[in-house]
Amino acid sequence: MSLASRELPSVAATMAPPRSPADTPAGAISGPSWLNNLRAMLAKELLLEWRNLSRLGSVALFGAVTLVLFSFVAPPQAGARRMATAGFLVLALLLSSTLSLSESFRKETHHRALTGLLLVPVAPSAIFIAKAFANFFQLVLLAPVLIPVALVLFSVDLTATSGVSYPLLQLLAVWALASAGLAAPGTLYAAMTSDLRGRDVVLPLLFFPLVVPVLLAAVKATALVLSGDAMGQLGSWNLLLLIFAVVHGTLGTVLFGYAVEES
Amino acid sequence: MEPKLESSAVAIRGRGLGRRFGRRWALAHVDLEVARGEAVLIAGSNGSGKSTLLQLVAGLYQPTHGSVEVLGRPSHEQRRTVRRSLSLLAHDSYLYASLNARETVKLWAGLVGRPRSDAELAALLEEVDLADPSLGAVAGFSAGMRKRLSLLRVRLEEPQIVLLDEPFSALDSAGRLMVESWIRELRAAGRTLLIASHSIERSARLCDRGVVLDQGQIIWRGPASALAKRKMEPR
């Protein structure tokens, strides 16, 4: 049946009463709730991530290649090698995150889909939280690839670690906290640079100095897991990572609207 | 000058509206009032400021000078509230390339708070000839298919005010008839329309008034029927 011959259903019959601010008390915001926005945004992010799983594979491969390159300059002594492993592992996460973050907004700028969301209007805070969660999830998914690759390449035996119970779980916890610390500010900065011509260069320039505390805390915490935590310092470094993630997550939630809308 | 309307009767009011991009004024000193339920056609050559005007009304840009109000509210300062009452069909489709048509419509329906059943989604997609699952993701759609899907988004939003930027472009003759029929339905339902179009004759039949923009300024205003007869002077 052609479009021309098809009668459209009457607008009056199919449409609910039109949305209008004039129908609501002054200042009141009607329409879908914030939670409804967040739910829809999370579902959209997960669906898009599922569609682009190959991209995640590419990022993981990039991280693994980075570790291989680092292995050529790793010190030969076992003790020094363990310390270096922590740094190399966190650097691999950081470098992979810039690829992942930059790419996460490419699909929003193509056809200006993000503008479409703002026009609905979807709450910018809901867009940010869903996007930051998706970025965090992607970085966490790198752990099953990059951690074993690092342990094998740098010949680190986790069972030989002293003063740390369940070292693999502790390592995963540090990884997750570091991922949150990178995803929260990274999502905001990726949004701010998404419309720029040189965004792939500008994003790391802005992002790297900001996440130095994450880098330091994650390297220290990872080193403690790999080399032993005789003084019980691991919890403090993990707490620092958590605080950084929460502060930047809150800032991102508040500031995202300003980053993506013309003020 | 057009006669002043009572505030309660005004859907869109722009006063001394101007917008500059770099050194170029895309729009300058535009005064425009659109009454509730009225349909106004904006004509003009490429780069005359039609799209900028619609995006200013939607609150996507802040005016460099002047102001624009939608239903009595400043469109940029209160953009979230204002956007609940309007929908913009723009040159960009605002679609996700990785999603297919059904997923896209389901997403929009969820976002506007009116989730649809699978049968309802299928019926909506059937209306715009995009129900075939084998069409795949939006990335593989032609410009016309993306336009039809974007039109469905505007319909789902069920706004009081509809801003249409080149609604007939990229569509085949059947698609253009569909849009024409849809605009007539919107008019019958009392919606306010602001249509920017190069299809003057077709659009003028659907509108009450017309304005012509040239280099960002209104150079003519009058009944839409007169606009259709007016010879469009090149810049």
Side-chain angles (χ1 to χ4, degrees), chain B residues 40-58:
Chain B
V40 175
L41 168 62
I42 306 164
S45 51
N46 291 332
S48 59
K50 303 186 298 294
S51 300
T52 303
L53 177 57
L54 293 190
Q55 294 186 66
L56 280 163
V57 172

Side-chain angles (χ1 to χ4, degrees), chain A residues 105-119:
Chain A
F105 273 91
R106 220 176 289 274
K107 57 186 176 247
E108 302 292 345
T109 50
H110 194 206
H111 298 313
R112 293 181 68 202
L114 181 61
T115 305
L117 295 179
L118 296 170
L119 279 170

Side-chain angles (χ1 to χ4, degrees), chain B residues 204-225:
Chain B
R205 287 200 301 268
L206 303 163
C207 295
D208 303 306
R209 287 194 297 128
V211 297
V212 177
L213 284 171
D214 183 39
Q215 297 187 36
Q217 294 189 311
I218 294 180
I219 57 165
W220 184 91
R221 57 179 96 215
S225 52

Side-chain angles (χ1 to χ4, degrees), chain B residues 83-138:
Chain B
R83 284 173 189 169
R84 291 195 190 289
S85 66
L86 61 78
S87 188
L88 168 67
L89 177 80
H91 284 298
D92 295 296
S93 62
Y94 303 147
L95 301 171
Y96 286 98
S98 310
L99 301 184
N100 62 34
R102 191 183 162 282
E103 288 162 347
T104 302
V105 177
K106 192 173 180 179
L107 170 68
W108 289 116
L111 287 175
V112 298
R114 296 186 177 109
R116 309 291 175 119
S117 67
D118 284 350
E120 286 173 319
L121 290 177
L124 282 168
L125 288 168
E126 188 65 36
E127 283 175 25
V128 292
D129 229 9
L130 293 172
D132 184 358
S134 68
L135 291 173
V138 167

Side-chain angles (χ1 to χ4, degrees), chain B residues 7-235:
Chain B
S7 289
S8 60
V10 178
I12 299 165
R13 173 177 281 154
R15 287 184 185 136
L17 197 53
R19 171 70 199 196
R20 192 175 58 192
F21 295 102
R23 289 181 178 178
R24 194 179 75 86
W25 285 92
L27 213 61
H29 309 297
V30 167
D31 292 304
L32 180 70
E33 281 190 350
V34 181
R36 289 181 191 234
E38 192 181 25
V40 175
L41 168 62
I42 306 164
S45 51
N46 291 332
S48 59
K50 303 186 298 294
S51 300
T52 303
L53 177 57
L54 293 190
Q55 294 186 66
L56 280 163
V57 172
L60 287 176
Y61 296 137
Q62 183 171 28
T64 308
H65 65 65
S67 64
V68 59
E69 290 178 358
V70 173
L71 298 171
R73 292 167 190 255
S75 70
H76 191 73
E77 288 79 0
Q78 297 188 31
R79 53 192 165 220
R80 284 206 66 208
T81 310
V82 162
R83 284 173 189 169
R84 291 195 190 289
S85 66
L86 61 78
S87 188
L88 168 67
L89 177 80
H91 284 298
D92 295 296
S93 62
Y94 303 147
L95 301 171
Y96 286 98
S98 310
L99 301 184
N100 62 34
R102 191 183 162 282
E103 288 162 347
T104 302
V105 177
K106 192 173 180 179
L107 170 68
W108 289 116
L111 287 175
V112 298
R114 296 186 177 109
R116 309 291 175 119
S117 67
D118 284 350
E120 286 173 319
L121 290 177
L124 282 168
L125 288 168
E126 188 65 36
E127 283 175 25
V128 292
D129 229 9
L130 293 172
D132 184 358
S134 68
L135 291 173
V138 167
F141 280 18
S142 68
M145 290 162 82
R146 289 201 300 273
K147 173 78 84 175
R148 278 186 270 149
L149 194 53
S150 299
L151 281 164
L152 209 47
R153 173 180 62 80
V154 177
R155 287 198 59 178
L156 280 166
E157 290 185 27
E158 299 173 358
Q160 175 73 27
I161 297 165
V162 185
L163 311 173
L164 301 173
D165 196 354
E166 297 295 349
F168 302 108
S169 69
L171 292 172
D172 55 20
S173 58
R176 289 195 292 271
L177 282 174
M178 180 193 73
V179 172
E180 204 172 314
S181 153
W182 174 61
I183 291 174
R184 286 186 201 284
E185 294 284 353
L186 285 169
R187 297 229 51 200
R191 309 297 201 257
T192 306
L193 282 102
L194 200 52
I195 303 173
S197 180
H198 289 297
S199 306
I200 305 295
E201 285 186 22
R202 185 183 290 271
S203 303
R205 287 200 301 268
L206 303 163
C207 295
D208 303 306
R209 287 194 297 128
V211 297
V212 177
L213 284 171
D214 183 39
Q215 297 187 36
Q217 294 189 311
I218 294 180
I219 57 165
W220 184 91
R221 57 179 96 215
S225 52
L227 177 58
K229 291 174 192 153
R230 182 179 181 273
K231 188 185 173 194
M232 298 295 291
E233 296 288 345
R235 276 198 293 161

Side-chain angles (χ1 to χ4, degrees), chain A residues 25-47:
Chain A
I29 294 177
S30 62
S33 68
W34 185 86
L35 271 179
N36 195 23
N37 277 182
L38 181 61
R39 198 166 31 236
M41 285 297 91
L42 282 170
K44 185 262 295 180
E45 288 297 334
L46 291 176
L47 184 58

